[in-house]
Amino acid sequence: MRDVFKSAGIIIISFCAVFVCTLFLNYNIDLKSAEGLIFQEDAQYFYHAQIMTGKMVSALSGGCLLLTSAVMLCFYIGHYIDTHSKSLGILKAMGYSAGRLACSFAGFGLSVFTGTGLGYAGAHIIMPQFYKTQNKEGLLPEIHIHFHPALLLALVVLPTLAFCLLSVLYGRLRLKAPVLELLKGRSSSKIKVAKSTGTAKAGRELPFLQELRSSVLRQRKSLVFFIGFASFCYAAMMQMSFSMDELASRMMALMILLIGIVLSFVTLFLATTSAVKANWKTLAVMRALGYPDRECSSSVLGGYRLPACIGFALGTVYQYVLLQIAVTVVFRDVENMPEFHFDVPALVVALISFTALYELILHAYARKIRRMSIREVMLDED
Amino acid sequence: MIKMEDIRKSYGPQDNRFEVLKGISLTVEDGDFLVLLGASGSGKSTLLNVASGLEYPDSGKILYDGEDIAALSDEERTRFRKEKTAFIFQQYYLLPHLNVEQNVKMGADLASNKDYRKTIEAVGLAEKRAKYPHELSGGEQQRVAVARALAKKPEVLFLDEPTGALDETTGRQVLDYIDRLQKELGFTIIMVTHNANIADMAKTVLRMNSGKIVEAWQNESQKTAYEIGW
Ligand SMILES: Nc1ncnc2c1ncn2[C@@H]1O[C@H](COP(=O)(O)OP(=O)(O)O)[C@@H](O)[C@H]1O
Ligand SMILES: [Mg+2]
C-alpha cells in the first residue's frame, strides 16, 4: 500500500503525459485525414497552425514528462534498494542472483501502466469536448473522432514495456553491489564527504547549521535536480499558461496550468518528503539537543532554496524564448496573431505563489518535526 | 536543584494501559552524580526522557529550580533543553555526514561556544577532529558524543546506557572522561545503567523496579572509572 502511494508520482506524471499526447495526437491524425477537405486560405493557415501546436505540445509535455518519470523511477528503485537493502542483501547472500532479484522490480513498470492507461482513457473521455473547442470558429470541416490503435500501442504499451525494462536494468545495476555492502545498508563507503579543503580552510568557520545544510545537499544530489525541476516547471508552465490565454485558447491555458501545477507539486512533495525522511534521525538528535523545529526544517530543506531559484529563473527564460520562437517562426504566417510580450504580472504571480508554496512546505515540516516522538525515532534501530 | 513529584506515565491503548512510571518522586542536588539502576524494562529510560523534557509525563511535576517543565509548551521546552540539558545515548547518534569537529559544533553553536576545540581536546580527540564517524571506533564515537554534549555547557547531563555498546576498556575510558570533566565543570549527571558496578562511581544511587524507586543510597566515597568492577 505504501509503495502504491509512493509511486503515485510516477502515475500522475505519466497520466499527464499520455493524457495530453493522446488528445493532441489523436486530433492531429483525425485532422490530417480531413486535409483534403480544406480549401480556403485562412482555413489552411489555421490547419497548419493547429498541426504545429499539436506537435509542439505533445513533444514538449510528452518528452519532458516521460523523462521526468524515467528519472523518478530510477530514484524510486534506488530508494527502495536503500530502504530494503538488508532483506535484499540476505536474499542475495542466500544465492539469488542480482538479475533474478531485479526481475521483481518489473512491478515498478506497473505504476507506469496505471498512469498511461488512465491517461489514455481520460483523454478519450474529454475528447469530444476538446474537438469542439479546437474548431470553435467553424473554420474547419467537422472532424470525427477515430480510434487509433497505433497511438494506444505507442503511448501505453510501449512506455510500460520500456519502463519495466528500465526498472530491471537499473535494479540490476544497483544490486551488483557486494552482499556485505547491501547488508550494511547505505554503506559507509557511500558517505559523501566534503572536499578536505572545505574544512581545512582555517579562518573561514561556518556555523553548524550551514554546514549541515550543505552536507544534506551533498548527500542527495538527485533531490537538487528534482526541486530545481519542480520550480522550473512551475515557472515555465504557469507563465506560459498566462500567455497562452492570450495567444491560443483558454482550454490550452488551463491544461498547461494544471499540468504545471500537478507536476511541480508532485515533484516538490516527493523530493521534500524524501529529504526529510532521509534525515529523520538527524532531526531527532537536533530536537533532543534543543534546536527549534523551525531551524530543524530549514537545515534540511532550506538548502534547496538556491536550486529552486535557479530552476525558477531558467523556467522563466525558457518559456519566454520558447513562445518567442513559436510566435516568430511557427505562427509567422498566421494572420492577426497577437503580439507576444514578456508578461510581468504573470511572473510576479508565479513567483509569489511559488515562494508561498515553498515556505508553506517548510512550515508544514516544522510542524511535523515538532510533533515527532524523539523516543520512537531513537528506538527505531536499524 | 531538580525535584520530581509523583511522576506517572503509561503507554498503550485505553483498555490496555501499561503504567511504566508509577508515581516517582525524587530530588537531585546541583552537581550530583546520580545513577539510576534497574533491570531492562523497569522504566529507567522513560524516567530519563521525562526528566529531561523529551517526553511529557501523564501527571506530576518536574521542577528545575522551581520551574515546572511539565507545564511548558513545546517551544518553551525546546528552549529549556537548549539552555540547560545535554544528552548522551547508547547509540551515539552522531551525524554520519559531518566530521568530528562539525558534530561537536552541533552542540557548541547552541551555547554560542567558540571554544569547542578545547572540548574536543578534553576528550582526547584533537588528532581526529577531521575524521568522520565511520572512521572512528565505538569508544571514540561515544567520546565525540560526550564532547558534543559538553560543548553545550549544560547544567544537567543525561546519559542513557552510555557504555551499553562498548567493551570494558573503551567503556571505562569514556566513563573516566565524563567523570573527570564533571569534577572540572561541575554539571549534574543523571545516568541510566543496568551495570551495578558503575553505581560505585556515583554520589547518589537509585534502584528502580517495575516503575518504582525501590532503593536509594548515597556512596560515602566515589570510585573512579578504573577502580570499579565491570
Ligand atoms: N513508546 C512506547 N510505547 C509503548 N511502550 C513503551 C514505549 N516506551 C517504552 N515502553 C515500555 O515501557 C517499559 C519501560 O521501558 P524503558 O523505560 O525503556 O525501560 P528501561 O530503559 O529500564 O529498559 C518497557 O516495558 C517498554 O516496553
Ligand atoms: Mg533503556
Side-chain angles (χ1 to χ4, degrees):
Chain A
M1 191 59 219
R2 271 290 265 305
D3 287 338
V4 172
F5 173 73
K6 273 186 187 160
S7 53
I10 296 182
I11 296 182
I12 293 174
I13 288 175
S14 51
F15 170 85
C16 286
V18 171
F19 180 79
V20 174
C21 289
T22 309
L23 269 187
F24 279 92
L25 291 180
N26 214 33
Y27 180 74
N28 264 15
I29 296 175
D30 287 340
L31 186 60
K32 271 238 170 80
S33 64
E35 191 181 1
L37 303 170
I38 301 166
F39 306 110
Q40 291 149 299
E41 204 168 327
D42 47 346
Q44 287 251 340
Y45 282 133
F46 194 65
Y47 165 78
H48 283 298
Q50 283 212 336
I51 294 270
M52 266 326 278
T53 327
K55 272 188 195 154
M56 220 170 71
V57 171
S58 324
L60 245 176
S61 53
C64 196
L65 294 174
L66 280 178
L67 192 74
T68 320
S69 13
V71 178
M72 209 173 248
L73 190 72
C74 291
F75 181 74
Y76 274 138
I77 294 173
H79 186 76
Y80 182 85
I81 292 178
D82 279 344
T83 47
H84 294 71
S85 73
K86 252 189 202 154
S87 30
L88 288 171
I90 291 169
L91 284 175
K92 212 179 153 186
M94 276 161 53
Y96 287 90
S97 72
R100 240 180 96 200
L101 289 176
C103 278
S104 62
F105 291 164
F108 280 97
L110 219 62
S111 53
V112 178
F113 178 71
T114 318
T116 53
L118 286 176
Y120 191 78
H124 273 276
I125 294 172
I126 298 288
M127 212 165 268
Q129 202 69 30
F130 179 73
Y131 273 47
K132 235 182 268 162
T133 41
Q134 282 290 73
N135 195 8
K136 220 172 16 205
E137 286 91 352
L139 279 173
L140 302 173
E142 197 174 334
I143 315 241
H144 296 284
I145 300 175
H146 295 281
F147 171 75
H148 301 289
L151 273 187
L152 182 64
L153 190 71
L155 292 176
V156 179
V157 181
L158 285 182
T160 304
L161 291 180
F163 274 87
C164 285
L165 195 69
L166 179 70
S167 310
V168 173
L169 287 181
Y170 184 72
R172 221 187 113 88
L173 186 76
R174 287 291 310 268
L175 285 174
K176 276 246 172 81
V179 174
L180 280 179
E181 208 163 282
L182 285 171
L183 282 174
K184 261 193 258 161
R186 244 183 122 77
S187 64
S188 47
S189 63
K190 262 180 74 192
I191 287 175
K192 291 160 204 146
V193 154
K195 285 185 203 86
S196 53
T197 52
T199 39
K201 236 185 253 166
R204 201 177 58 93
E205 288 259 318
L206 285 176
F208 165 74
L209 282 175
Q210 271 177 43
E211 281 184 354
L212 177 61
R213 209 172 286 170
S214 54
S215 114
V216 165
L217 282 190
R218 259 195 321 275
Q219 295 320 308
R220 310 235 145 187
K221 292 224 179 61
S222 54
L223 291 184
V224 173
F225 166 77
F226 277 124
I227 290 181
F229 177 76
S231 55
F232 175 88
C233 285
Y234 192 84
M237 303 280 208
M238 188 101 175
Q239 296 180 63
M240 212 187 279
S241 127
F242 270 81
S243 315
M244 282 292 176
D245 203 13
E246 290 164 25
L247 297 176
S249 66
R250 170 140 294 173
M251 174 94 175
M252 269 184 66
L254 210 65
M255 215 138 77
I256 288 183
L257 185 68
L258 272 179
I259 292 177
I261 288 179
V262 167
L263 189 59
S264 48
F265 267 50
V266 171
T267 342
L268 205 57
F269 177 75
L270 288 173
T272 48
T273 313
S274 97
V276 170
K277 271 224 190 89
N279 291 288
W280 202 234
K281 225 164 230 171
T282 299
L283 292 170
V285 180
M286 289 178 71
R287 288 287 288 152
L289 287 183
Y291 279 93
D293 39 29
R294 183 72 215 188
E295 272 175 23
C296 291
S297 94
S298 86
S299 69
V300 171
L301 295 175
Y304 294 108
R305 272 207 192 95
L306 185 66
C309 286
I310 294 175
F312 194 92
L314 284 179
T316 306
V317 173
Y318 170 80
Q319 62 92 23
Y320 179 70
V321 170
L322 192 78
L323 284 182
Q324 199 62 265
I325 291 175
V327 168
T328 49
V329 180
V330 182
F331 297 117
R332 191 179 31 200
D333 306 327
V334 182
E335 272 168 59
N336 54 38
M337 191 71 196
E339 246 184 77
F340 173 62
H341 296 291
F342 189 79
D343 196 342
V344 178
L347 173 65
V348 173
V349 170
L351 189 60
I352 289 177
S353 56
F354 190 76
T355 315
L357 176 69
Y358 199 88
E359 297 306 313
L360 204 73
I361 289 179
L362 270 182
H363 185 75
Y365 278 115
R367 273 181 62 109
K368 194 169 167 196
I369 289 164
R370 180 162 62 230
R371 282 200 308 249
M372 88 199 291
S373 156
I374 296 164
R375 176 80 187 279
E376 263 155 39
V377 179
M378 301 285 177
L379 282 178
D380 178 32
E381 261 318 298
D382 29 356
Chain B
M1 194 173 75
I2 309 166
K3 212 171 143 111
M4 299 204 228
E5 294 174 3
D6 199 27
I7 301 292
R8 286 172 191 278
K9 173 110 190 150
S10 336
Y11 287 115
Q14 287 297 335
D15 50 341
N16 189 19
R17 294 298 274 178
F18 175 63
E19 198 165 35
V20 180
L21 300 179
K22 301 170 180 163
I24 289 192
S25 302
L26 58 92
T27 306
V28 187
E29 299 294 338
D30 287 343
D32 199 351
F33 186 148
L34 183 140
V35 163
L36 262 174
L37 275 180
S40 172
S42 55
K44 306 177 301 284
S45 297
T46 309
L47 180 60
L48 197 75
N49 289 337
V50 167
S52 60
L54 285 185
E55 278 185 286
Y56 281 102
D58 295 341
S59 68
K61 286 184 177 161
I62 306 152
L63 304 164
Y64 277 73
D65 301 323
E67 188 187 18
D68 185 7
I69 65 158
L72 295 180
S73 74
D74 190 79
E75 212 166 304
E76 291 163 332
R77 278 148 58 94
T78 304
R79 211 199 52 232
F80 158 81
R81 282 204 299 273
K82 174 174 164 175
E83 286 166 1
K84 305 248 162 132
T85 70
F87 238 105
I88 293 172
F89 307 96
Q90 178 176 348
Q91 300 296 338
Y92 331 131
Y93 291 116
L94 301 178
L95 307 193
H97 312 306
L98 298 179
N99 64 23
V100 169
E101 195 166 294
Q102 292 163 328
N103 265 289
V104 174
K105 225 193 272 179
M106 177 177 188
D109 276 9
L110 280 171
S112 312
N113 176 2
K114 295 268 177 263
D115 276 344
Y116 58 89
R117 290 229 169 82
K118 281 215 187 93
T119 321
I120 298 176
E121 276 164 35
V123 295
L125 288 173
E127 317 267 85
K128 312 219 161 171
R129 64 195 155 87
K131 296 255 187 237
Y132 284 79
H134 68 267
E135 301 169 307
L136 301 176
S137 70
E140 285 167 337
Q141 289 190 51
Q142 193 60 302
R143 272 146 62 194
V144 177
V146 170
R148 175 175 74 186
L150 295 184
K152 269 188 84 200
K153 304 193 167 160
E155 291 175 20
V156 190
L157 177 63
F158 293 93
L159 305 100
D160 194 345
E161 308 267 9
T163 57
L166 303 177
D167 61 53
E168 177 175 344
T169 318
T170 50
R172 281 182 196 274
Q173 204 176 14
V174 167
L175 286 178
D176 186 51
Y177 276 114
I178 294 169
D179 190 25
R180 279 193 284 134
L181 286 163
Q182 191 222 6
K183 302 248 155 70
E184 188 186 323
L185 302 169
F187 50 86
T188 308
I189 285 181
I190 301 183
M191 171 155 49
V192 159
T193 178
H194 62 261
N195 181 346
N197 288 313
I198 294 177
D200 292 342
M201 292 178 67
K203 232 186 245 174
T204 311
V205 184
L206 301 177
R207 183 188 291 283
M208 277 185 80
N209 193 10
S210 58
K212 280 187 254 176
I213 293 177
V214 290
E215 206 180 344
W217 71 90
Q218 301 267 331
N219 284 329
E220 276 152 31
S221 66
Q222 294 173 252
K223 292 187 178 169
T224 70
Y226 294 105
E227 289 165 357
I228 58 171
W230 197 266

